[in-house]
Short mmCIF file of all heavy atoms in Angstrom, two decimals:
data_model
loop_
_atom_site.label_atom_id
_atom_site.label_comp_id
_atom_site.label_asym_id
_atom_site.label_seq_id
_atom_site.Cartn_x
_atom_site.Cartn_y
_atom_site.Cartn_z
N MET A 12 91.11 74.87 123.18
CA MET A 12 91.32 73.48 122.73
C MET A 12 92.27 73.42 121.47
O MET A 12 91.99 74.21 120.54
CB MET A 12 90.00 72.71 122.37
CG MET A 12 90.28 71.34 121.96
SD MET A 12 89.02 70.54 121.32
CE MET A 12 87.67 70.21 121.91
N THR A 13 93.35 72.64 121.45
CA THR A 13 94.32 72.68 120.36
C THR A 13 94.08 71.40 119.64
O THR A 13 94.04 70.32 120.05
CB THR A 13 95.78 72.69 120.96
OG1 THR A 13 95.90 73.78 121.74
CG2 THR A 13 96.83 72.74 119.76
N MET A 14 93.99 71.61 118.28
CA MET A 14 93.85 70.43 117.38
C MET A 14 95.31 69.78 117.21
O MET A 14 96.27 70.29 117.42
CB MET A 14 93.38 70.79 116.06
CG MET A 14 91.97 71.39 116.03
SD MET A 14 91.32 71.94 114.42
CE MET A 14 91.57 70.29 113.63
N THR A 15 95.20 68.49 116.89
CA THR A 15 96.40 67.69 116.77
C THR A 15 97.25 68.27 115.62
O THR A 15 98.52 68.21 115.69
CB THR A 15 96.13 66.22 116.45
OG1 THR A 15 94.81 65.91 116.99
CG2 THR A 15 97.16 65.29 117.02
N LEU A 16 96.65 68.69 114.66
CA LEU A 16 97.45 69.22 113.43
C LEU A 16 98.11 70.60 113.83
O LEU A 16 99.18 70.86 113.13
CB LEU A 16 96.44 69.57 112.32
CG LEU A 16 95.75 68.31 111.74
CD1 LEU A 16 94.75 68.76 110.62
CD2 LEU A 16 96.73 67.32 111.15
N ASP A 17 97.69 71.31 114.70
CA ASP A 17 98.20 72.63 115.01
C ASP A 17 99.29 72.47 116.31
O ASP A 17 99.81 73.45 116.64
CB ASP A 17 97.19 73.60 115.49
CG ASP A 17 96.31 73.95 114.26
OD1 ASP A 17 96.76 73.79 113.19
OD2 ASP A 17 95.19 74.38 114.43
N ALA A 18 99.43 71.32 116.79
CA ALA A 18 100.25 71.10 117.98
C ALA A 18 101.68 71.50 117.83
O ALA A 18 102.36 72.12 118.64
CB ALA A 18 100.01 69.76 118.52
N GLY A 19 102.27 71.12 116.60
CA GLY A 19 103.65 71.33 116.44
C GLY A 19 103.91 72.67 115.76
O GLY A 19 105.20 72.84 115.60
N LYS A 20 103.05 73.40 115.45
CA LYS A 20 103.27 74.65 114.62
C LYS A 20 103.55 75.78 115.54
O LYS A 20 102.94 75.92 116.59
CB LYS A 20 102.13 75.01 113.73
CG LYS A 20 101.94 73.93 112.64
CD LYS A 20 100.81 74.47 111.73
CE LYS A 20 100.74 73.35 110.59
NZ LYS A 20 99.49 73.68 109.77
N THR A 21 104.63 76.68 115.10
CA THR A 21 104.83 77.92 115.86
C THR A 21 103.89 78.95 115.22
O THR A 21 103.43 78.80 114.18
CB THR A 21 106.27 78.13 115.89
OG1 THR A 21 106.63 78.42 114.52
CG2 THR A 21 107.13 77.15 116.42
N HIS A 22 103.94 80.06 115.87
CA HIS A 22 103.20 81.26 115.38
C HIS A 22 103.95 81.88 114.23
O HIS A 22 105.11 81.87 114.09
CB HIS A 22 103.07 82.36 116.36
CG HIS A 22 102.26 81.85 117.65
ND1 HIS A 22 100.96 81.67 117.56
CD2 HIS A 22 102.61 81.57 118.91
CE1 HIS A 22 100.59 81.31 118.66
NE2 HIS A 22 101.46 81.17 119.56
N ALA A 23 103.15 82.27 113.16
CA ALA A 23 103.67 82.73 111.88
C ALA A 23 104.02 84.20 112.28
O ALA A 23 103.44 84.94 112.84
CB ALA A 23 102.69 82.71 110.77
N THR A 24 105.14 84.67 111.70
CA THR A 24 105.64 86.00 111.83
C THR A 24 105.44 86.74 110.49
O THR A 24 105.70 85.99 109.45
CB THR A 24 107.09 86.08 112.27
OG1 THR A 24 107.97 85.31 111.35
CG2 THR A 24 107.24 85.46 113.73
N PRO A 25 105.17 87.93 110.43
CA PRO A 25 105.10 88.57 109.03
C PRO A 25 106.39 88.64 108.43
O PRO A 25 107.45 88.73 109.12
CB PRO A 25 104.49 89.93 109.47
CG PRO A 25 104.79 90.13 110.96
CD PRO A 25 104.92 88.73 111.46
N LYS A 26 106.36 88.74 107.08
CA LYS A 26 107.52 88.92 106.36
C LYS A 26 108.22 90.26 106.62
O LYS A 26 109.45 90.31 106.75
CB LYS A 26 107.31 88.80 104.82
CG LYS A 26 106.80 87.53 104.32
CD LYS A 26 106.42 87.45 102.92
CE LYS A 26 105.81 86.10 102.51
NZ LYS A 26 105.37 86.17 101.06
N ASP A 27 107.42 91.29 106.68
CA ASP A 27 107.88 92.64 106.94
C ASP A 27 107.48 93.15 108.12
O ASP A 27 106.07 93.34 108.31
CB ASP A 27 107.57 93.58 105.68
CG ASP A 27 108.28 95.02 105.93
OD1 ASP A 27 109.05 95.18 106.72
OD2 ASP A 27 107.72 95.85 105.09
N LYS A 28 108.20 93.32 109.20
CA LYS A 28 107.85 93.80 110.47
C LYS A 28 107.28 95.27 110.44
O LYS A 28 106.45 95.68 111.26
CB LYS A 28 108.85 93.74 111.48
CG LYS A 28 109.18 92.34 111.76
CD LYS A 28 110.19 92.23 112.88
CE LYS A 28 110.47 90.71 113.07
NZ LYS A 28 111.34 90.53 114.20
N ASN A 29 107.59 96.07 109.40
CA ASN A 29 107.06 97.43 109.18
C ASN A 29 106.04 97.43 108.06
O ASN A 29 106.07 98.37 107.31
CB ASN A 29 108.27 98.32 108.95
CG ASN A 29 109.10 98.54 110.14
OD1 ASN A 29 108.70 98.48 111.39
ND2 ASN A 29 110.43 98.61 109.91
N GLY A 30 105.29 96.51 108.00
CA GLY A 30 104.32 96.37 106.81
C GLY A 30 103.19 97.50 106.96
O GLY A 30 102.80 97.91 105.85
N THR A 31 102.92 97.95 108.02
CA THR A 31 101.99 99.04 108.17
C THR A 31 102.48 100.49 107.99
O THR A 31 101.75 101.41 108.02
CB THR A 31 101.19 98.90 109.46
OG1 THR A 31 102.13 99.14 110.62
CG2 THR A 31 100.45 97.66 109.65
N ALA A 32 103.78 100.51 107.93
CA ALA A 32 104.40 101.87 107.77
C ALA A 32 104.04 102.59 106.49
O ALA A 32 103.81 103.84 106.50
CB ALA A 32 105.94 101.77 107.87
N MET A 33 103.89 101.81 105.44
CA MET A 33 103.47 102.48 104.26
C MET A 33 102.05 102.89 104.18
O MET A 33 101.60 103.99 103.62
CB MET A 33 103.77 101.46 103.02
CG MET A 33 103.65 102.07 101.61
SD MET A 33 104.21 100.95 100.49
CE MET A 33 104.08 101.98 98.99
N ILE A 34 101.20 102.19 104.84
CA ILE A 34 99.79 102.66 105.09
C ILE A 34 99.78 103.94 105.87
O ILE A 34 99.06 104.89 105.43
CB ILE A 34 98.96 101.54 105.79
CG1 ILE A 34 98.82 100.37 104.94
CG2 ILE A 34 97.59 102.19 106.16
CD1 ILE A 34 98.30 99.16 105.58
N TRP A 35 100.52 104.04 106.95
CA TRP A 35 100.40 105.29 107.70
C TRP A 35 101.11 106.40 106.91
O TRP A 35 100.66 107.54 107.04
CB TRP A 35 101.29 105.13 109.05
CG TRP A 35 100.44 104.35 109.93
CD1 TRP A 35 100.75 102.99 110.45
CD2 TRP A 35 99.22 104.67 110.61
NE1 TRP A 35 99.83 102.54 111.27
CE2 TRP A 35 98.94 103.59 111.47
CE3 TRP A 35 98.38 105.74 110.64
CZ2 TRP A 35 97.68 103.55 112.27
CZ3 TRP A 35 97.36 105.73 111.42
CH2 TRP A 35 96.86 104.68 112.13
N ALA A 36 102.10 106.11 106.15
CA ALA A 36 102.78 107.21 105.35
C ALA A 36 101.72 107.67 104.23
O ALA A 36 101.64 108.91 104.02
CB ALA A 36 103.98 106.63 104.56
N ALA A 37 100.96 106.83 103.65
CA ALA A 37 99.89 107.15 102.63
C ALA A 37 98.91 108.01 103.35
O ALA A 37 98.47 109.11 102.78
CB ALA A 37 99.25 106.03 102.03
N ILE A 38 98.42 107.74 104.61
CA ILE A 38 97.40 108.50 105.30
C ILE A 38 98.04 109.92 105.60
O ILE A 38 97.29 110.93 105.43
CB ILE A 38 96.98 107.85 106.42
CG1 ILE A 38 96.09 106.40 106.07
CG2 ILE A 38 96.17 108.67 107.47
CD1 ILE A 38 95.87 105.57 107.23
N ALA A 39 99.14 109.94 106.05
CA ALA A 39 99.87 111.16 106.28
C ALA A 39 100.01 112.14 105.13
O ALA A 39 99.69 113.26 105.18
CB ALA A 39 101.26 110.82 107.04
N VAL A 40 100.41 111.60 103.98
CA VAL A 40 100.52 112.40 102.88
C VAL A 40 99.11 112.79 102.37
O VAL A 40 99.03 113.96 102.01
CB VAL A 40 101.20 111.58 101.73
CG1 VAL A 40 101.14 112.17 100.39
CG2 VAL A 40 102.80 111.24 102.00
N PHE A 41 98.19 111.97 102.38
CA PHE A 41 96.76 112.35 102.03
C PHE A 41 96.26 113.47 102.93
O PHE A 41 95.84 114.55 102.41
CB PHE A 41 95.88 111.19 102.12
CG PHE A 41 94.56 111.41 101.84
CD1 PHE A 41 94.08 111.61 100.55
CD2 PHE A 41 93.46 111.40 102.89
CE1 PHE A 41 92.74 111.74 100.24
CE2 PHE A 41 92.17 111.63 102.54
CZ PHE A 41 91.76 111.84 101.37
N LEU A 42 96.36 113.41 104.23
CA LEU A 42 95.94 114.56 105.05
C LEU A 42 96.75 115.76 104.91
O LEU A 42 96.23 116.87 105.03
CB LEU A 42 96.09 114.02 106.57
CG LEU A 42 95.03 112.96 106.94
CD1 LEU A 42 95.36 112.47 108.33
CD2 LEU A 42 93.63 113.41 106.66
N THR A 43 98.01 115.66 104.66
CA THR A 43 98.85 116.85 104.38
C THR A 43 98.54 117.58 103.11
O THR A 43 98.39 118.96 103.10
CB THR A 43 100.43 116.52 104.27
OG1 THR A 43 100.83 115.73 105.44
CG2 THR A 43 101.31 117.70 103.98
N ILE A 44 98.11 116.85 102.08
CA ILE A 44 97.76 117.47 100.82
C ILE A 44 96.44 118.12 100.99
O ILE A 44 96.20 119.32 100.58
CB ILE A 44 97.73 116.34 99.69
CG1 ILE A 44 99.06 115.89 99.35
CG2 ILE A 44 96.89 116.96 98.52
CD1 ILE A 44 99.07 114.70 98.40
N LEU A 45 95.41 117.48 101.66
CA LEU A 45 94.16 117.95 101.88
C LEU A 45 94.21 119.22 102.75
O LEU A 45 93.57 120.32 102.59
CB LEU A 45 93.17 117.16 102.57
CG LEU A 45 92.82 115.92 101.57
CD1 LEU A 45 91.88 114.93 102.30
CD2 LEU A 45 92.17 116.35 100.40
N GLY A 46 95.00 119.24 103.85
CA GLY A 46 95.20 120.40 104.73
C GLY A 46 95.80 121.62 104.00
O GLY A 46 95.48 122.72 104.26
N THR A 47 96.93 121.37 103.26
CA THR A 47 97.58 122.38 102.62
C THR A 47 96.55 123.10 101.54
O THR A 47 96.59 124.30 101.48
CB THR A 47 98.84 121.92 101.95
OG1 THR A 47 99.71 121.21 102.95
CG2 THR A 47 99.63 122.93 101.22
N SER A 48 95.92 122.23 100.80
CA SER A 48 95.13 122.88 99.69
C SER A 48 94.01 123.59 100.38
O SER A 48 93.48 124.65 99.87
CB SER A 48 94.57 121.66 98.86
OG SER A 48 93.70 120.81 99.55
N ALA A 49 93.37 123.18 101.53
CA ALA A 49 92.29 123.89 102.22
C ALA A 49 92.85 125.18 102.79
O ALA A 49 92.21 126.23 102.66
CB ALA A 49 91.69 122.99 103.29
N ALA A 50 94.06 125.17 103.27
CA ALA A 50 94.61 126.41 103.96
C ALA A 50 94.93 127.45 102.80
O ALA A 50 94.74 128.62 103.11
CB ALA A 50 95.81 126.03 104.70
N VAL A 51 95.44 127.00 101.71
CA VAL A 51 95.92 127.91 100.66
C VAL A 51 94.83 128.46 99.71
O VAL A 51 94.61 129.43 99.52
CB VAL A 51 97.06 127.29 99.75
CG1 VAL A 51 97.46 128.22 98.66
CG2 VAL A 51 98.29 126.99 100.73
N PHE A 52 93.92 127.42 99.26
CA PHE A 52 93.02 127.77 98.33
C PHE A 52 91.49 127.79 98.83
O PHE A 52 90.61 128.09 98.04
CB PHE A 52 93.02 126.85 97.16
CG PHE A 52 94.36 126.93 96.48
CD1 PHE A 52 95.28 125.84 96.56
CD2 PHE A 52 94.78 128.00 95.71
CE1 PHE A 52 96.50 125.92 95.88
CE2 PHE A 52 96.13 128.07 95.20
CZ PHE A 52 96.87 126.92 95.24
N GLY A 53 91.30 127.36 100.11
CA GLY A 53 89.99 127.26 100.59
C GLY A 53 89.29 126.17 100.12
O GLY A 53 89.89 125.11 99.84
N LEU A 54 87.99 126.19 100.10
CA LEU A 54 87.06 125.12 99.83
C LEU A 54 87.21 124.58 98.34
O LEU A 54 87.24 123.47 98.15
CB LEU A 54 85.60 125.39 99.99
CG LEU A 54 84.56 124.38 99.84
CD1 LEU A 54 84.89 123.19 100.75
CD2 LEU A 54 83.20 124.83 100.08
N ALA A 55 87.45 125.55 97.46
CA ALA A 55 87.64 125.27 96.01
C ALA A 55 88.83 124.41 95.81
O ALA A 55 88.94 123.41 95.05
CB ALA A 55 87.76 126.43 95.17
N GLY A 56 89.97 124.75 96.46
CA GLY A 56 91.28 124.05 96.48
C GLY A 56 91.04 122.71 97.10
O GLY A 56 91.70 121.63 96.61
N LEU A 57 90.29 122.52 98.22
CA LEU A 57 90.06 121.30 98.81
C LEU A 57 89.39 120.28 97.87
O LEU A 57 89.79 119.06 97.72
CB LEU A 57 89.23 121.49 100.00
CG LEU A 57 88.91 120.23 100.93
CD1 LEU A 57 90.23 119.66 101.44
CD2 LEU A 57 88.06 120.55 102.05
N VAL A 58 88.38 120.84 97.21
CA VAL A 58 87.60 119.96 96.27
C VAL A 58 88.41 119.66 95.01
O VAL A 58 88.49 118.44 94.67
CB VAL A 58 86.29 120.62 95.82
CG1 VAL A 58 85.58 119.97 94.68
CG2 VAL A 58 85.37 120.87 97.04
N ALA A 59 89.23 120.54 94.62
CA ALA A 59 90.10 120.27 93.34
C ALA A 59 91.19 119.32 93.70
O ALA A 59 91.62 118.51 92.71
CB ALA A 59 90.69 121.55 92.90
N VAL A 60 91.77 119.20 94.84
CA VAL A 60 92.76 118.32 95.13
C VAL A 60 92.34 116.98 95.72
O VAL A 60 93.08 116.04 95.62
CB VAL A 60 93.78 119.09 96.10
CG1 VAL A 60 94.79 118.09 96.72
CG2 VAL A 60 94.44 120.20 95.48
N MET A 61 91.19 117.00 96.27
CA MET A 61 90.69 115.85 96.97
C MET A 61 90.46 114.54 96.13
O MET A 61 90.83 113.45 96.51
CB MET A 61 89.34 116.00 97.69
CG MET A 61 88.93 114.92 98.63
SD MET A 61 87.60 115.62 99.76
CE MET A 61 87.44 114.26 100.77
N VAL A 62 90.04 114.72 95.00
CA VAL A 62 89.85 113.55 94.05
C VAL A 62 91.12 112.93 93.52
O VAL A 62 91.30 111.74 93.80
CB VAL A 62 88.91 114.06 92.78
CG1 VAL A 62 88.91 112.90 91.84
CG2 VAL A 62 87.51 114.46 93.33
N PRO A 63 92.16 113.64 93.11
CA PRO A 63 93.40 113.09 92.86
C PRO A 63 94.08 112.48 94.05
O PRO A 63 94.70 111.42 93.94
CB PRO A 63 94.24 114.19 92.18
CG PRO A 63 93.26 115.14 91.67
CD PRO A 63 92.11 115.03 92.74
N ALA A 64 94.00 113.09 95.13
CA ALA A 64 94.68 112.64 96.31
C ALA A 64 94.02 111.27 96.82
O ALA A 64 94.59 110.41 97.22
CB ALA A 64 94.64 113.61 97.50
N ALA A 65 92.66 111.28 96.72
CA ALA A 65 91.96 110.11 97.21
C ALA A 65 92.27 108.89 96.06
O ALA A 65 92.39 107.71 96.61
CB ALA A 65 90.45 110.26 97.09
N LEU A 66 92.37 109.30 94.90
CA LEU A 66 92.66 108.13 93.83
C LEU A 66 94.10 107.62 94.07
O LEU A 66 94.42 106.48 93.98
CB LEU A 66 92.49 108.73 92.44
CG LEU A 66 91.11 108.95 91.94
CD1 LEU A 66 91.05 109.57 90.56
CD2 LEU A 66 90.31 107.65 92.04
N GLY A 67 94.95 108.52 94.30
CA GLY A 67 96.45 108.21 94.76
C GLY A 67 96.53 107.30 95.88
O GLY A 67 97.13 106.35 95.96
N MET A 68 95.62 107.61 96.84
CA MET A 68 95.73 106.88 98.11
C MET A 68 95.03 105.41 97.85
O MET A 68 95.66 104.43 98.35
CB MET A 68 95.00 107.46 99.16
CG MET A 68 95.01 106.85 100.59
SD MET A 68 94.32 107.89 101.77
CE MET A 68 94.59 106.91 103.25
N VAL A 69 94.06 105.32 97.03
CA VAL A 69 93.50 104.06 96.73
C VAL A 69 94.65 103.29 96.02
O VAL A 69 94.67 101.97 96.24
CB VAL A 69 92.23 104.27 95.84
CG1 VAL A 69 91.79 102.93 95.21
CG2 VAL A 69 91.23 104.78 96.70
N VAL A 70 95.27 103.83 94.96
CA VAL A 70 96.29 103.05 94.32
C VAL A 70 97.33 102.41 95.21
O VAL A 70 97.85 101.45 95.10
CB VAL A 70 96.95 103.94 93.24
CG1 VAL A 70 98.24 103.38 92.65
CG2 VAL A 70 95.94 104.29 92.19
N VAL A 71 97.84 103.33 96.13
CA VAL A 71 98.83 102.98 97.16
C VAL A 71 98.32 101.78 98.00
O VAL A 71 99.07 100.73 98.17
CB VAL A 71 99.37 104.12 97.97
CG1 VAL A 71 100.15 103.68 99.02
CG2 VAL A 71 100.04 105.14 97.15
N LEU A 72 97.06 101.86 98.49
CA LEU A 72 96.53 100.92 99.25
C LEU A 72 96.34 99.58 98.54
O LEU A 72 96.54 98.45 99.01
CB LEU A 72 95.29 101.34 100.13
CG LEU A 72 95.42 102.36 101.03
CD1 LEU A 72 94.09 102.81 101.63
CD2 LEU A 72 96.32 101.99 102.25
N VAL A 73 95.92 99.63 97.29
CA VAL A 73 95.71 98.47 96.44
C VAL A 73 96.99 97.75 96.24
O VAL A 73 97.17 96.51 96.33
CB VAL A 73 95.00 98.80 95.10
CG1 VAL A 73 95.11 97.74 94.07
CG2 VAL A 73 93.62 99.11 95.35
N ARG A 74 98.10 98.51 95.99
CA ARG A 74 99.38 97.94 95.91
C ARG A 74 99.87 97.35 97.08
O ARG A 74 100.47 96.20 97.04
CB ARG A 74 100.34 99.02 95.36
CG ARG A 74 101.78 98.62 95.21
CD ARG A 74 102.65 99.68 94.71
NE ARG A 74 104.05 99.22 94.64
CZ ARG A 74 105.18 99.88 94.68
NH1 ARG A 74 105.10 101.24 94.85
NH2 ARG A 74 106.38 99.32 94.57
N ILE A 75 99.61 97.80 98.23
CA ILE A 75 100.02 97.21 99.47
C ILE A 75 99.29 95.84 99.68
O ILE A 75 99.86 94.88 100.02
CB ILE A 75 99.73 98.13 100.69
CG1 ILE A 75 100.62 99.37 100.65
CG2 ILE A 75 99.88 97.45 102.00
CD1 ILE A 75 100.23 100.46 101.70
N VAL A 76 97.91 95.88 99.45
CA VAL A 76 97.19 94.68 99.66
C VAL A 76 97.63 93.63 98.57
O VAL A 76 97.79 92.41 98.95
CB VAL A 76 95.68 95.08 99.43
CG1 VAL A 76 94.93 93.79 99.31
CG2 VAL A 76 95.22 95.90 100.49
N THR A 77 97.85 93.98 97.31
CA THR A 77 98.25 92.97 96.31
C THR A 77 99.66 92.40 96.57
O THR A 77 99.90 91.23 96.24
CB THR A 77 98.19 93.52 94.89
OG1 THR A 77 98.98 94.75 94.85
CG2 THR A 77 96.62 93.76 94.53
N GLU A 78 100.59 93.24 97.10
CA GLU A 78 101.94 92.72 97.28
C GLU A 78 101.92 91.82 98.56
O GLU A 78 102.79 90.92 98.69
CB GLU A 78 102.85 93.98 97.49
CG GLU A 78 103.24 94.59 96.26
CD GLU A 78 104.14 95.69 96.49
OE1 GLU A 78 104.58 95.88 97.81
OE2 GLU A 78 104.58 96.42 95.57
N GLY A 79 101.03 91.92 99.48
CA GLY A 79 100.88 91.20 100.64
C GLY A 79 100.30 89.84 100.47
O GLY A 79 100.42 88.97 101.30
N MET A 80 99.63 89.69 99.41
CA MET A 80 98.95 88.35 99.12
C MET A 80 99.87 87.39 98.39
O MET A 80 100.83 87.72 97.72
CB MET A 80 97.59 88.58 98.26
CG MET A 80 96.63 89.35 98.97
SD MET A 80 95.19 89.55 97.87
CE MET A 80 94.06 89.06 99.19
#
């Protein structure tokens, strides 16, 4: 059922069609850092690198969310 107010509106298109590309890039960088540290330094390297990598990913994701609003 279509409301009268919505009858003349077209579908909204996103401003940036590649908006999710930065999210996928952040995930890829995060996994690469974790995999490399685990392969080179073992469990100790994984633990030492995981906290800064996770914080960096949170910063990138917060930036993406705040710029999109």
Side-chain angles (χ1 to χ4, degrees):
M12 180 190 302
T13 305
M14 293 181 61
T15 332
L16 298 173
D17 295 334
K20 294 183 179 178
T21 60
H22 295 291
T24 56
K26 295 178 185 176
D27 183 14
K28 293 184 179 182
N29 293 326
T31 59
M33 195 166 179
I34 295 172
W35 288 112
I38 292 171
V40 168
F41 178 72
L42 292 176
T43 302
I44 290 171
L45 291 181
T47 303
S48 65
V51 173
F52 301 112
L54 185 60
L57 181 65
V58 172
V60 172
M61 191 166 184
V62 173
L66 290 175
M68 187 170 179
V69 168
V70 168
V71 169
L72 292 176
V73 166
R74 184 176 174 205
I75 291 169
V76 170
T77 56
E78 285 181 0
M80 296 180 127

